[in-house]
Amino acid sequence: MAQLSDDCFAFGGPMMSVDEAVGIITARVTAVGETESVALVDADGRILARNVAAPLPLPPFTNSAVDGFAVPAADLPRDKELMFPVAGRVQAGSSGEPAKAGHAVRIFTGAPMPAGTDTVFMQEDVRLEPSGKVVLPAGLKVGANVRPAGEDIREGHVALKAGDRLRPQDVALAAAFGLTRLDVVRRIRVAVFSTGDELASPGTERTAAQLFDSNRFMLMALLKRLGCKVSDLGILRDERESLAKALKKAARVHDLILTTGGVSTGEEDHVKAGVESVGSLVLWRMAIKPGRPVAMGIIGGTPFIGLPGNPVASFVTFVHVVRPTVLALSGAVPLALLPIPVRAAFSYKKKSGRREYVRVTLRRAEDGALEAVKFPREGAGLLSSLVDTDGLVELGETVTAVEPGERVGFLGYANLL
Ligand code: AMP
Ligand code: MG
């Protein structure tokens, strides 16, 4: 089971930058060691557990890149076209005879180059005589239209690395190596709770003072995109003892406990006291907006993260705190979020010293540039502000204002995970 060392609690200071917080988390979390073998068809999105070195070169043999005629370098027409008799025919999947001197060999895309040949003329560039001979033009370079063995990947090259999150193209590479299975890190088991007496689960009766729990479903969906095995543990009431008991129980069989709501310092915010009664906790005031405090702790050796209750704050802090924690737990190569430059179509004022995320949609301006249009309202409780936008503009700690036309960094929702 994953362990989070206790000394991170020395960092429970007043206001912490996002980078500092992420650095602390990722440094303190120990990756789960367990791995499992999965079939290639199930490998997408999983974290590779071991380096994969190429067991064969790619392509495995030198072959023709086109349909045409293969000849040896010595016979290449230099100044004027030359006529060759054709001897032999080799198609994809079959091995031809060695070439006869002074002859061209009919060859097809993907077929191995016959011994003695090293250059292929595309069939579009040659002339076939009624005699069956072929006229090859002058000027083709030695080795043209040939794919040498190993030009893509050399045998022994470490082509996939432990910690890589496998993508479809990575799976294709494993298949090209002839592998049928890959060793991956087992899925990270995450327990998800919502907290709050005002919440009703969709599908249950909602009283006049309740709203349906939405964060839990957002968080579970986010976690699934990160490849986690998610346990939906429902809604915890605003009551310390039952909350503590539920968290403690969940800690036994999960790698990470995640809650949303109840981490402010109000009288009815019981997560802090609940966690402290069964484990240890620090409340971080991260210098991030939207964000409010994020709680982090350990319950029986299992990391705990308490996200804020407001949906947008929950989403943003998930991206910056939970995502790196899950990646660290799975031993994944930490991937920095790289904002792409777009043009601001809004003005904005902010405090220096904290990072802010502005919800925006993208549009194509008349000059072709991508422009970020700010969602008109700012509340951290507005789900529509996430639903109706494409991503977040990241404004760094030193920025104090944005004017229309300025270049800003955009993080698309799709790329956040
Ligand atoms: P809290 O952090 O518990 O004080 O909650 C802050 C705000 O977020 C309150 O308005 C809550 O009703 C709302 N909220 C908390 N949890 C959820 C949830 N799971 N789904 C939707 N809204 C929530
Ligand atoms: Mg609450």
mmCIF file of all heavy atoms in Angstrom, residues 194-195 198-199 211 213-215 260-262 264 269 292 309-310, ligand 1:
data_model
loop_
_atom_site.group_PDB
_atom_site.id
_atom_site.type_symbol
_atom_site.label_atom_id
_atom_site.label_comp_id
_atom_site.label_asym_id
_atom_site.label_seq_id
_atom_site.Cartn_x
_atom_site.Cartn_y
_atom_site.Cartn_z
ATOM 1 N N SER A 194 -18.315 12.417 -1.228
ATOM 2 C CA SER A 194 -18.753 13.813 -1.106
ATOM 3 C C SER A 194 -19.097 14.034 0.351
ATOM 4 O O SER A 194 -19.389 13.074 1.078
ATOM 5 C CB SER A 194 -19.982 14.075 -1.963
ATOM 6 O OG SER A 194 -19.622 14.090 -3.320
ATOM 7 N N THR A 195 -19.072 15.275 0.800
ATOM 8 C CA THR A 195 -19.498 15.571 2.169
ATOM 9 C C THR A 195 -20.473 16.728 2.146
ATOM 10 O O THR A 195 -20.328 17.656 1.357
ATOM 11 C CB THR A 195 -18.310 15.984 3.075
ATOM 12 O OG1 THR A 195 -17.895 17.310 2.724
ATOM 13 C CG2 THR A 195 -17.134 15.037 2.929
ATOM 14 N N GLU A 198 -26.283 19.090 2.729
ATOM 15 C CA GLU A 198 -27.124 19.697 1.692
ATOM 16 C C GLU A 198 -27.151 18.870 0.412
ATOM 17 O O GLU A 198 -27.797 19.238 -0.559
ATOM 18 C CB GLU A 198 -26.642 21.123 1.388
ATOM 19 C CG GLU A 198 -25.412 21.257 0.489
ATOM 20 C CD GLU A 198 -24.071 20.985 1.185
ATOM 21 O OE1 GLU A 198 -24.042 20.227 2.171
ATOM 22 O OE2 GLU A 198 -23.065 21.519 0.709
ATOM 23 N N LEU A 199 -26.444 17.734 0.401
ATOM 24 C CA LEU A 199 -26.338 16.971 -0.848
ATOM 25 C C LEU A 199 -27.280 15.774 -0.864
ATOM 26 O O LEU A 199 -27.433 15.074 0.133
ATOM 27 C CB LEU A 199 -24.908 16.469 -1.039
ATOM 28 C CG LEU A 199 -23.823 17.543 -1.079
ATOM 29 C CD1 LEU A 199 -22.452 16.879 -1.144
ATOM 30 C CD2 LEU A 199 -24.027 18.485 -2.265
ATOM 31 N N LEU A 211 -29.300 20.039 -2.829
ATOM 32 C CA LEU A 211 -28.969 20.004 -4.249
ATOM 33 C C LEU A 211 -28.369 18.635 -4.542
ATOM 34 O O LEU A 211 -27.866 17.965 -3.641
ATOM 35 C CB LEU A 211 -27.998 21.121 -4.629
ATOM 36 C CG LEU A 211 -26.755 21.305 -3.771
ATOM 37 C CD1 LEU A 211 -25.513 20.930 -4.535
ATOM 38 C CD2 LEU A 211 -26.667 22.755 -3.315
ATOM 39 N N ASP A 213 -25.758 16.000 -5.670
ATOM 40 C CA ASP A 213 -24.302 15.893 -5.615
ATOM 41 C C ASP A 213 -23.745 15.781 -7.030
ATOM 42 O O ASP A 213 -24.003 14.807 -7.727
ATOM 43 C CB ASP A 213 -23.969 14.636 -4.798
ATOM 44 C CG ASP A 213 -22.485 14.345 -4.742
ATOM 45 O OD1 ASP A 213 -21.685 15.176 -5.224
ATOM 46 O OD2 ASP A 213 -22.139 13.273 -4.201
ATOM 47 N N SER A 214 -22.975 16.751 -7.440
ATOM 48 C CA SER A 214 -22.379 16.685 -8.786
ATOM 49 C C SER A 214 -20.878 16.427 -8.725
ATOM 50 O O SER A 214 -20.319 15.755 -9.599
ATOM 51 C CB SER A 214 -22.661 17.974 -9.557
ATOM 52 O OG SER A 214 -22.208 19.093 -8.829
ATOM 53 N N ASN A 215 -20.222 16.911 -7.704
ATOM 54 C CA ASN A 215 -18.755 16.792 -7.658
ATOM 55 C C ASN A 215 -18.270 15.348 -7.698
ATOM 56 O O ASN A 215 -17.263 15.043 -8.322
ATOM 57 C CB ASN A 215 -18.198 17.423 -6.376
ATOM 58 C CG ASN A 215 -18.272 18.926 -6.396
ATOM 59 O OD1 ASN A 215 -18.715 19.515 -7.379
ATOM 60 N ND2 ASN A 215 -17.844 19.551 -5.320
ATOM 61 N N THR A 260 -14.684 15.716 -1.210
ATOM 62 C CA THR A 260 -14.948 17.074 -1.679
ATOM 63 C C THR A 260 -15.917 17.732 -0.703
ATOM 64 O O THR A 260 -16.849 17.095 -0.229
ATOM 65 C CB THR A 260 -15.514 17.096 -3.120
ATOM 66 O OG1 THR A 260 -16.001 18.406 -3.417
ATOM 67 C CG2 THR A 260 -16.644 16.108 -3.300
ATOM 68 N N GLY A 261 -15.627 18.992 -0.397
ATOM 69 C CA GLY A 261 -16.449 19.761 0.538
ATOM 70 C C GLY A 261 -15.957 19.617 1.963
ATOM 71 O O GLY A 261 -15.169 18.719 2.291
ATOM 72 N N GLY A 262 -16.389 20.547 2.802
ATOM 73 C CA GLY A 262 -16.131 20.430 4.232
ATOM 74 C C GLY A 262 -14.711 20.715 4.689
ATOM 75 O O GLY A 262 -14.361 20.396 5.821
ATOM 76 N N SER A 264 -13.258 23.836 4.539
ATOM 77 C CA SER A 264 -13.023 25.220 4.959
ATOM 78 C C SER A 264 -12.901 25.196 6.482
ATOM 79 O O SER A 264 -12.845 24.138 7.081
ATOM 80 C CB SER A 264 -14.182 26.103 4.529
ATOM 81 O OG SER A 264 -14.450 25.884 3.167
ATOM 82 N N ASP A 269 -17.672 22.420 8.901
ATOM 83 C CA ASP A 269 -16.669 21.749 8.077
ATOM 84 C C ASP A 269 -15.964 20.718 8.945
ATOM 85 O O ASP A 269 -15.070 21.039 9.718
ATOM 86 C CB ASP A 269 -15.693 22.773 7.487
ATOM 87 C CG ASP A 269 -16.396 23.646 6.453
ATOM 88 O OD1 ASP A 269 -17.191 23.102 5.675
ATOM 89 O OD2 ASP A 269 -16.156 24.863 6.437
ATOM 90 N N ARG A 292 -9.612 27.905 -2.818
ATOM 91 C CA ARG A 292 -9.794 27.721 -1.370
ATOM 92 C C ARG A 292 -8.849 26.657 -0.808
ATOM 93 O O ARG A 292 -8.040 26.091 -1.521
ATOM 94 C CB ARG A 292 -11.259 27.373 -1.063
ATOM 95 C CG ARG A 292 -12.169 28.570 -1.302
ATOM 96 C CD ARG A 292 -13.308 28.626 -0.327
ATOM 97 N NE ARG A 292 -14.179 27.470 -0.426
ATOM 98 C CZ ARG A 292 -15.252 27.306 0.319
ATOM 99 N NH1 ARG A 292 -15.590 28.216 1.208
ATOM 100 N NH2 ARG A 292 -15.997 26.250 0.187
ATOM 101 N N GLY A 309 -15.491 22.276 -1.893
ATOM 102 C CA GLY A 309 -16.806 21.838 -2.334
ATOM 103 C C GLY A 309 -17.316 22.541 -3.578
ATOM 104 O O GLY A 309 -18.078 21.962 -4.362
ATOM 105 N N ASN A 310 -16.898 23.767 -3.766
ATOM 106 C CA ASN A 310 -17.373 24.472 -4.952
ATOM 107 C C ASN A 310 -16.866 23.763 -6.197
ATOM 108 O O ASN A 310 -15.674 23.469 -6.311
ATOM 109 C CB ASN A 310 -16.889 25.920 -4.943
ATOM 110 C CG ASN A 310 -17.828 26.808 -4.148
ATOM 111 O OD1 ASN A 310 -19.032 26.790 -4.389
ATOM 112 N ND2 ASN A 310 -17.287 27.551 -3.199
HETATM 113 P P1 AMP B 1 -18.086 23.428 1.382
HETATM 114 O O1 AMP B 1 -16.684 23.395 0.883
HETATM 115 O O2 AMP B 1 -18.528 22.133 1.981
HETATM 116 O O3 AMP B 1 -18.308 24.585 2.303
HETATM 117 O O4 AMP B 1 -19.021 23.660 0.119
HETATM 118 C C1 AMP B 1 -18.906 24.827 -0.667
HETATM 119 C C2 AMP B 1 -20.031 24.901 -1.662
HETATM 120 O O5 AMP B 1 -19.924 23.842 -2.569
HETATM 121 C C3 AMP B 1 -21.408 24.783 -1.035
HETATM 122 O O6 AMP B 1 -22.272 25.668 -1.683
HETATM 123 C C4 AMP B 1 -21.793 23.366 -1.309
HETATM 124 O O7 AMP B 1 -23.174 23.180 -1.378
HETATM 125 C C5 AMP B 1 -21.130 23.094 -2.621
HETATM 126 N N1 AMP B 1 -20.831 21.689 -2.718
HETATM 127 C C6 AMP B 1 -20.147 20.962 -1.822
HETATM 128 N N2 AMP B 1 -20.038 19.681 -2.206
HETATM 129 C C7 AMP B 1 -20.670 19.592 -3.391
HETATM 130 C C8 AMP B 1 -20.902 18.512 -4.280
HETATM 131 N N3 AMP B 1 -20.458 17.279 -4.029
HETATM 132 N N4 AMP B 1 -21.578 18.761 -5.432
HETATM 133 C C9 AMP B 1 -22.017 20.008 -5.686
HETATM 134 N N5 AMP B 1 -21.833 21.063 -4.871
HETATM 135 C C10 AMP B 1 -21.172 20.868 -3.725
#
